[in-house]
Structure formats: structure tokens, C-alpha cells
Tab-separated table of all heavy atoms in Angstrom:
chain	number	residue	atom	x	y	z
A	8	VAL	N	0.799	-1.189	0.040
A	8	VAL	CA	0.008	-0.008	-0.020
A	8	VAL	C	0.909	1.242	0.041
A	8	VAL	O	1.807	1.329	0.790
A	8	VAL	CB	-0.900	-0.001	1.251
A	8	VAL	CG1	-1.644	1.305	1.339
A	8	VAL	CG2	-1.830	-1.235	1.246
A	9	PRO	N	0.636	2.207	-0.918
A	9	PRO	CA	1.451	3.424	-0.944
A	9	PRO	C	1.173	4.317	0.218
A	9	PRO	O	-0.003	4.471	0.728
A	9	PRO	CB	1.203	4.090	-2.284
A	9	PRO	CG	-0.288	3.589	-2.530
A	9	PRO	CD	-0.332	2.197	-2.016
A	10	VAL	N	2.220	5.033	0.775
A	10	VAL	CA	2.140	6.062	1.655
A	10	VAL	C	2.185	7.302	0.910
A	10	VAL	O	3.186	7.506	0.161
A	10	VAL	CB	3.106	6.021	2.805
A	10	VAL	CG1	3.001	7.180	3.764
A	10	VAL	CG2	3.013	4.670	3.537
A	11	LYS	N	1.220	8.314	0.995
A	11	LYS	CA	1.114	9.417	0.161
A	11	LYS	C	1.218	10.779	0.885
A	11	LYS	O	0.678	10.897	2.100
A	11	LYS	CB	-0.084	9.471	-0.701
A	11	LYS	CG	-0.224	8.281	-1.739
A	11	LYS	CD	-1.500	8.376	-2.544
A	11	LYS	CE	-1.611	7.300	-3.566
A	11	LYS	NZ	-2.860	7.456	-4.354
A	12	ASP	N	1.825	11.742	0.304
A	12	ASP	CA	1.747	13.138	0.708
A	12	ASP	C	1.082	13.839	-0.461
A	12	ASP	O	1.730	14.244	-1.373
A	12	ASP	CB	3.162	13.709	0.972
A	12	ASP	CG	3.156	15.167	1.399
A	12	ASP	OD1	2.002	15.637	1.577
A	12	ASP	OD2	4.243	15.740	1.622
A	13	GLY	N	-0.228	14.090	-0.391
A	13	GLY	CA	-0.961	14.554	-1.515
A	13	GLY	C	-0.963	13.553	-2.576
A	13	GLY	O	-1.379	12.349	-2.394
A	14	ASP	N	-0.422	13.823	-3.777
A	14	ASP	CA	-0.446	12.883	-4.838
A	14	ASP	C	0.966	12.183	-4.919
A	14	ASP	O	1.141	11.340	-5.769
A	14	ASP	CB	-0.695	13.656	-6.217
A	14	ASP	CG	-2.058	14.082	-6.361
A	14	ASP	OD1	-3.001	13.457	-5.740
A	14	ASP	OD2	-2.328	15.131	-7.087
A	15	ASP	N	1.888	12.584	-4.120
A	15	ASP	CA	3.269	12.030	-4.137
A	15	ASP	C	3.310	10.830	-3.215
A	15	ASP	O	2.915	10.838	-2.083
A	15	ASP	CB	4.277	13.131	-3.751
A	15	ASP	CG	4.337	14.258	-4.676
A	15	ASP	OD1	4.088	14.018	-5.857
A	15	ASP	OD2	4.600	15.391	-4.209
A	16	VAL	N	3.948	9.773	-3.704
A	16	VAL	CA	4.193	8.546	-2.982
A	16	VAL	C	5.494	8.751	-2.188
A	16	VAL	O	6.565	8.974	-2.784
A	16	VAL	CB	4.295	7.307	-3.860
A	16	VAL	CG1	4.671	6.096	-2.982
A	16	VAL	CG2	2.906	7.045	-4.531
A	17	THR	N	5.468	8.653	-0.849
A	17	THR	CA	6.634	8.887	-0.100
A	17	THR	C	7.242	7.571	0.484
A	17	THR	O	8.349	7.560	1.012
A	17	THR	CB	6.350	9.826	1.033
A	17	THR	OG1	5.301	9.218	1.939
A	17	THR	CG2	5.932	11.176	0.575
A	18	GLY	N	6.504	6.511	0.441
A	18	GLY	CA	6.971	5.181	1.007
A	18	GLY	C	5.897	4.145	0.720
A	18	GLY	O	4.885	4.332	0.115
A	19	VAL	N	6.257	2.892	1.127
A	19	VAL	CA	5.385	1.702	0.893
A	19	VAL	C	5.250	0.895	2.203
A	19	VAL	O	6.271	0.607	2.739
A	19	VAL	CB	5.840	0.882	-0.225
A	19	VAL	CG1	4.943	-0.353	-0.408
A	19	VAL	CG2	5.997	1.602	-1.515
A	20	LEU	N	3.978	0.707	2.617
A	20	LEU	CA	3.761	-0.293	3.725
A	20	LEU	C	3.395	-1.607	3.096
A	20	LEU	O	2.587	-1.654	2.158
A	20	LEU	CB	2.622	0.187	4.580
A	20	LEU	CG	2.875	1.478	5.437
A	20	LEU	CD1	1.675	1.729	6.304
A	20	LEU	CD2	4.204	1.294	6.290
A	21	GLY	N	4.015	-2.704	3.548
A	21	GLY	CA	3.788	-3.958	2.906
A	21	GLY	C	3.644	-5.120	3.872
A	21	GLY	O	4.126	-5.064	4.971
A	22	ALA	N	3.134	-6.241	3.284
A	22	ALA	CA	3.131	-7.489	4.099
A	22	ALA	C	3.523	-8.629	3.093
A	22	ALA	O	3.006	-8.667	1.937
A	22	ALA	CB	1.736	-7.692	4.642
A	23	SER	N	4.274	-9.561	3.544
A	23	SER	CA	4.537	-10.771	2.850
A	23	SER	C	3.793	-11.870	3.565
A	23	SER	O	4.184	-12.306	4.617
A	23	SER	CB	6.039	-11.068	2.826
A	23	SER	OG	6.787	-9.942	2.248
A	24	VAL	N	2.691	-12.369	3.005
A	24	VAL	CA	1.815	-13.283	3.517
A	24	VAL	C	2.268	-14.750	3.199
A	24	VAL	O	2.430	-15.065	2.034
A	24	VAL	CB	0.361	-13.148	3.119
A	24	VAL	CG1	-0.609	-14.064	3.808
A	24	VAL	CG2	-0.049	-11.714	3.364
A	25	TYR	N	2.496	-15.526	4.248
A	25	TYR	CA	3.139	-16.862	4.019
A	25	TYR	C	2.162	-17.834	3.371
A	25	TYR	O	1.126	-18.244	3.989
A	25	TYR	CB	3.561	-17.439	5.336
A	25	TYR	CG	4.585	-16.605	6.109
A	25	TYR	CD1	4.651	-16.601	7.470
A	25	TYR	CD2	5.374	-15.741	5.448
A	25	TYR	CE1	5.610	-15.857	8.171
A	25	TYR	CE2	6.336	-14.946	6.102
A	25	TYR	CZ	6.404	-14.984	7.482
A	25	TYR	OH	7.344	-14.274	8.172
A	26	LEU	N	2.379	-18.244	2.214
A	26	LEU	CA	1.450	-19.062	1.441
A	26	LEU	C	1.413	-20.542	1.967
A	26	LEU	O	0.413	-21.147	1.856
A	26	LEU	CB	1.774	-19.041	-0.053
A	26	LEU	CG	1.675	-17.633	-0.689
A	26	LEU	CD1	2.116	-17.613	-2.148
A	26	LEU	CD2	0.129	-17.202	-0.630
A	27	GLU	N	2.537	-21.029	2.416
A	27	GLU	CA	2.485	-22.387	2.890
A	27	GLU	C	1.617	-22.503	4.209
A	27	GLU	O	0.948	-23.440	4.446
A	27	GLU	CB	3.930	-22.915	3.174
A	27	GLU	CG	4.720	-23.209	1.861
A	27	GLU	CD	6.117	-23.826	2.140
A	27	GLU	OE1	6.250	-24.403	3.287
A	27	GLU	OE2	6.946	-23.788	1.282
A	28	GLY	N	1.737	-21.467	5.051
A	28	GLY	CA	0.892	-21.416	6.225
A	28	GLY	C	-0.579	-21.433	5.928
A	28	GLY	O	-1.384	-22.152	6.555
A	29	ILE	N	-0.966	-20.601	4.928
A	29	ILE	CA	-2.369	-20.606	4.480
A	29	ILE	C	-2.771	-21.932	3.876
A	29	ILE	O	-3.804	-22.456	4.127
A	29	ILE	CB	-2.582	-19.443	3.530
A	29	ILE	CG1	-2.521	-18.058	4.245
A	29	ILE	CG2	-3.941	-19.613	2.848
A	29	ILE	CD1	-2.791	-16.923	3.342
A	30	THR	N	-1.877	-22.506	3.096
A	30	THR	CA	-2.133	-23.796	2.538
A	30	THR	C	-2.373	-24.842	3.549
A	30	THR	O	-3.244	-25.738	3.457
A	30	THR	CB	-1.035	-24.228	1.584
A	30	THR	OG1	-0.936	-23.296	0.499
A	30	THR	CG2	-1.242	-25.657	0.977
A	31	GLU	N	-1.554	-24.926	4.590
A	31	GLU	CA	-1.677	-25.943	5.583
A	31	GLU	C	-3.030	-25.709	6.354
A	31	GLU	O	-3.647	-26.763	6.739
A	31	GLU	CB	-0.502	-25.909	6.539
A	31	GLU	CG	0.783	-26.356	5.929
A	31	GLU	CD	0.759	-27.720	5.334
A	31	GLU	OE1	0.082	-28.660	5.935
A	31	GLU	OE2	1.246	-27.900	4.201
A	32	ALA	N	-3.341	-24.476	6.691
A	32	ALA	CA	-4.681	-24.227	7.278
A	32	ALA	C	-5.772	-24.672	6.413
A	32	ALA	O	-6.795	-25.295	6.910
A	32	ALA	CB	-4.727	-22.722	7.597
A	33	LEU	N	-5.719	-24.443	5.096
A	33	LEU	CA	-6.663	-24.974	4.163
A	33	LEU	C	-6.866	-26.407	4.085
A	33	LEU	O	-8.004	-26.983	4.010
A	33	LEU	CB	-6.485	-24.395	2.783
A	33	LEU	CG	-6.762	-22.862	2.566
A	33	LEU	CD1	-6.151	-22.296	1.310
A	33	LEU	CD2	-8.285	-22.648	2.605
A	34	LYS	N	-5.686	-27.103	4.236
A	34	LYS	CA	-5.756	-28.571	4.242
A	34	LYS	C	-6.567	-29.058	5.459
A	34	LYS	O	-7.265	-30.049	5.412
A	34	LYS	CB	-4.374	-29.177	4.292
A	34	LYS	CG	-3.593	-29.089	2.957
A	34	LYS	CD	-2.220	-29.609	3.085
A	34	LYS	CE	-1.416	-29.589	1.835
A	34	LYS	NZ	-0.086	-30.203	1.942
A	35	ASP	N	-6.418	-28.355	6.600
A	35	ASP	CA	-7.197	-28.723	7.746
A	35	ASP	C	-8.714	-28.417	7.556
A	35	ASP	O	-9.647	-29.199	7.998
A	35	ASP	CB	-6.750	-27.962	9.002
A	35	ASP	CG	-5.329	-28.459	9.399
A	35	ASP	OD1	-4.965	-29.568	9.063
A	35	ASP	OD2	-4.694	-27.683	10.079
A	36	GLU	N	-9.008	-27.267	6.903
A	36	GLU	CA	-10.378	-26.862	6.628
A	36	GLU	C	-11.085	-27.774	5.564
A	36	GLU	O	-12.177	-28.013	5.642
A	36	GLU	CB	-10.420	-25.464	6.146
A	36	GLU	CG	-10.010	-24.391	7.174
A	36	GLU	CD	-11.046	-24.212	8.266
A	36	GLU	OE1	-12.298	-24.350	8.011
A	36	GLU	OE2	-10.682	-23.999	9.403
A	37	LEU	N	-10.212	-28.188	4.577
A	37	LEU	CA	-10.794	-28.966	3.462
A	37	LEU	C	-9.965	-30.277	3.324
A	37	LEU	O	-9.266	-30.497	2.293
A	37	LEU	CB	-10.661	-28.148	2.144
A	37	LEU	CG	-11.287	-26.740	2.183
A	37	LEU	CD1	-10.887	-25.938	0.948
A	37	LEU	CD2	-12.846	-26.918	2.212
A	38	PRO	N	-10.126	-31.190	4.221
A	38	PRO	CA	-9.291	-32.428	4.157
A	38	PRO	C	-9.562	-33.195	2.899
A	38	PRO	O	-10.720	-33.426	2.556
A	38	PRO	CB	-9.731	-33.182	5.454
A	38	PRO	CG	-11.067	-32.576	5.867
A	38	PRO	CD	-11.056	-31.163	5.351
A	39	GLY	N	-8.453	-33.628	2.317
A	39	GLY	CA	-8.652	-34.466	1.143
A	39	GLY	C	-8.899	-33.775	-0.160
A	39	GLY	O	-8.912	-34.354	-1.224
A	40	THR	N	-8.992	-32.454	-0.122
A	40	THR	CA	-9.351	-31.716	-1.331
A	40	THR	C	-8.129	-31.317	-2.216
A	40	THR	O	-7.157	-30.908	-1.613
A	40	THR	CB	-10.117	-30.456	-0.963
A	40	THR	OG1	-11.201	-30.782	-0.156
A	40	THR	CG2	-10.605	-29.646	-2.149
A	41	VAL	N	-8.280	-31.571	-3.464
A	41	VAL	CA	-7.220	-30.983	-4.373
A	41	VAL	C	-7.548	-29.590	-4.751
A	41	VAL	O	-8.671	-29.327	-5.321
A	41	VAL	CB	-7.075	-31.947	-5.630
A	41	VAL	CG1	-6.170	-31.267	-6.616
A	41	VAL	CG2	-6.570	-33.344	-5.279
A	42	PHE	N	-6.771	-28.648	-4.451
A	42	PHE	CA	-7.043	-27.267	-4.665
A	42	PHE	C	-5.696	-26.568	-5.151
A	42	PHE	O	-4.651	-26.989	-4.846
A	42	PHE	CB	-7.631	-26.528	-3.490
A	42	PHE	CG	-6.743	-26.481	-2.253
A	42	PHE	CD1	-5.786	-25.419	-2.168
A	42	PHE	CD2	-6.834	-27.426	-1.266
A	42	PHE	CE1	-4.955	-25.325	-1.042
A	42	PHE	CE2	-6.032	-27.326	-0.185
A	42	PHE	CZ	-5.094	-26.341	-0.018
A	43	TYR	N	-5.910	-25.405	-5.788
A	43	TYR	CA	-4.714	-24.588	-6.161
A	43	TYR	C	-5.275	-23.213	-6.556
A	43	TYR	O	-6.396	-22.999	-6.731
A	43	TYR	CB	-4.002	-25.163	-7.342
A	43	TYR	CG	-4.752	-25.672	-8.536
A	43	TYR	CD1	-5.034	-24.840	-9.571
A	43	TYR	CD2	-5.211	-26.970	-8.527
A	43	TYR	CE1	-5.764	-25.256	-10.641
A	43	TYR	CE2	-5.876	-27.432	-9.704
A	43	TYR	CZ	-6.175	-26.587	-10.684
A	43	TYR	OH	-6.903	-26.997	-11.780
A	44	ALA	N	-4.312	-22.256	-6.556
A	44	ALA	CA	-4.603	-20.912	-7.083
A	44	ALA	C	-3.447	-20.444	-7.907
A	44	ALA	O	-2.267	-20.803	-7.557
A	44	ALA	CB	-4.881	-19.937	-5.906
A	45	VAL	N	-3.766	-19.776	-8.968
A	45	VAL	CA	-2.700	-19.224	-9.857
A	45	VAL	C	-2.801	-17.749	-9.881
A	45	VAL	O	-3.838	-17.215	-10.091
A	45	VAL	CB	-2.857	-19.869	-11.276
A	45	VAL	CG1	-1.780	-19.333	-12.244
A	45	VAL	CG2	-2.819	-21.392	-11.306
A	46	ASP	N	-1.623	-17.118	-9.688
A	46	ASP	CA	-1.636	-15.634	-9.673
A	46	ASP	C	-1.600	-15.085	-11.068
A	46	ASP	O	-1.526	-15.825	-12.083
A	46	ASP	CB	-0.557	-15.071	-8.772
A	46	ASP	CG	0.810	-15.088	-9.525
A	46	ASP	OD1	1.015	-15.688	-10.548
A	46	ASP	OD2	1.758	-14.398	-8.996
A	47	LYS	N	-1.679	-13.732	-11.176
A	47	LYS	CA	-1.730	-13.081	-12.529
A	47	LYS	C	-0.519	-13.328	-13.323
A	47	LYS	O	-0.504	-13.177	-14.579
A	47	LYS	CB	-2.003	-11.559	-12.277
A	47	LYS	CG	-3.358	-11.275	-11.725
A	47	LYS	CD	-3.582	-9.801	-11.463
A	47	LYS	CE	-2.802	-9.335	-10.287
A	47	LYS	NZ	-3.059	-7.848	-9.899
A	48	GLU	N	0.623	-13.618	-12.660
A	48	GLU	CA	1.863	-13.838	-13.377
A	48	GLU	C	2.089	-15.358	-13.806
A	48	GLU	O	3.141	-15.698	-14.272
A	48	GLU	CB	3.028	-13.340	-12.629
A	48	GLU	CG	2.981	-11.821	-12.454
A	48	GLU	CD	4.134	-11.374	-11.581
A	48	GLU	OE1	4.921	-12.118	-11.109
A	48	GLU	OE2	4.297	-10.116	-11.459
A	49	GLY	N	1.017	-16.207	-13.484
A	49	GLY	CA	1.172	-17.609	-13.878
A	49	GLY	C	1.857	-18.480	-12.852
A	49	GLY	O	2.310	-19.585	-13.204
A	50	LYS	N	2.026	-18.000	-11.669
A	50	LYS	CA	2.626	-18.777	-10.562
A	50	LYS	C	1.593	-19.419	-9.626
A	50	LYS	O	0.541	-18.864	-9.416
A	50	LYS	CB	3.600	-17.950	-9.757
A	50	LYS	CG	4.786	-17.384	-10.454
A	50	LYS	CD	5.599	-16.497	-9.501
A	50	LYS	CE	6.759	-15.841	-10.242
A	50	LYS	NZ	7.579	-14.935	-9.289
A	51	PHE	N	1.906	-20.620	-9.110
A	51	PHE	CA	0.990	-21.202	-8.163
A	51	PHE	C	1.096	-20.372	-6.859
A	51	PHE	O	2.161	-20.278	-6.255
A	51	PHE	CB	1.457	-22.613	-7.785
A	51	PHE	CG	0.928	-23.687	-8.765
A	51	PHE	CD1	1.785	-24.485	-9.438
A	51	PHE	CD2	-0.415	-23.774	-9.010
A	51	PHE	CE1	1.344	-25.414	-10.304
A	51	PHE	CE2	-0.817	-24.736	-9.955
A	51	PHE	CZ	0.032	-25.598	-10.558
A	52	ALA	N	-0.070	-19.768	-6.451
A	52	ALA	CA	-0.123	-19.105	-5.196
A	52	ALA	C	-0.416	-20.088	-4.025
A	52	ALA	O	0.086	-19.873	-2.961
A	52	ALA	CB	-1.178	-17.979	-5.288
A	53	LEU	N	-1.215	-21.029	-4.373
A	53	LEU	CA	-1.585	-22.128	-3.432
A	53	LEU	C	-1.549	-23.419	-4.162
A	53	LEU	O	-1.730	-23.407	-5.386
A	53	LEU	CB	-3.038	-21.863	-2.851
A	53	LEU	CG	-3.377	-20.576	-2.209
A	53	LEU	CD1	-4.821	-20.521	-1.873
A	53	LEU	CD2	-2.582	-20.405	-0.875
A	54	ASN	N	-1.295	-24.487	-3.477
A	54	ASN	CA	-1.421	-25.807	-4.099
A	54	ASN	C	-1.432	-26.806	-2.935
A	54	ASN	O	-0.651	-26.818	-2.003
A	54	ASN	CB	-0.197	-26.120	-5.015
A	54	ASN	CG	-0.540	-27.210	-6.023
A	54	ASN	OD1	-0.852	-28.357	-5.625
A	54	ASN	ND2	-0.471	-26.857	-7.283
């Protein structure tokens, strides 16, 4: 997310969300399910 002063970007606040952690939680929520997600650049976001 950009940090702005008017229309000027002065910095960036960010988060790196751990995809393996989310995947393991989803495996508990959806046991036995084959699932995946592909991002806009064609990479597996989840699997």
C-alpha cells in the first residue's frame, strides 16, 4: 500500500503473507481436497 503526501508517494507499507501457512490451514479446513490458485503472473499461489 502506498504512503502518500498529496499525490506524491513517499513510501510503501507492505506485508509478505506466508502461502505455505495458509495452505496448511486450508488442508485442515478442506481435508482430502485437491485445490490450487494461480496468480496473475502464472505462478502457483496455493497448491
Side-chain angles (χ1 to χ4, degrees):
V8 175
V10 178
K11 295 182 178 180
D12 180 7
D14 292 331
D15 297 328
V16 174
T17 60
V19 178
L20 293 181
S23 302
V24 182
Y25 303 151
L26 295 173
E27 287 186 20
I29 289 180
T30 296
E31 292 305 318
L33 286 165
K34 287 182 181 181
D35 292 337
E36 293 286 328
L37 304 169
T40 303
V41 171
F42 63 84
Y43 48 89
V45 180
D46 81 344
K47 292 178 287 187
E48 297 180 354
K50 295 179 183 176
F51 279 122
L53 305 171
N54 200 302

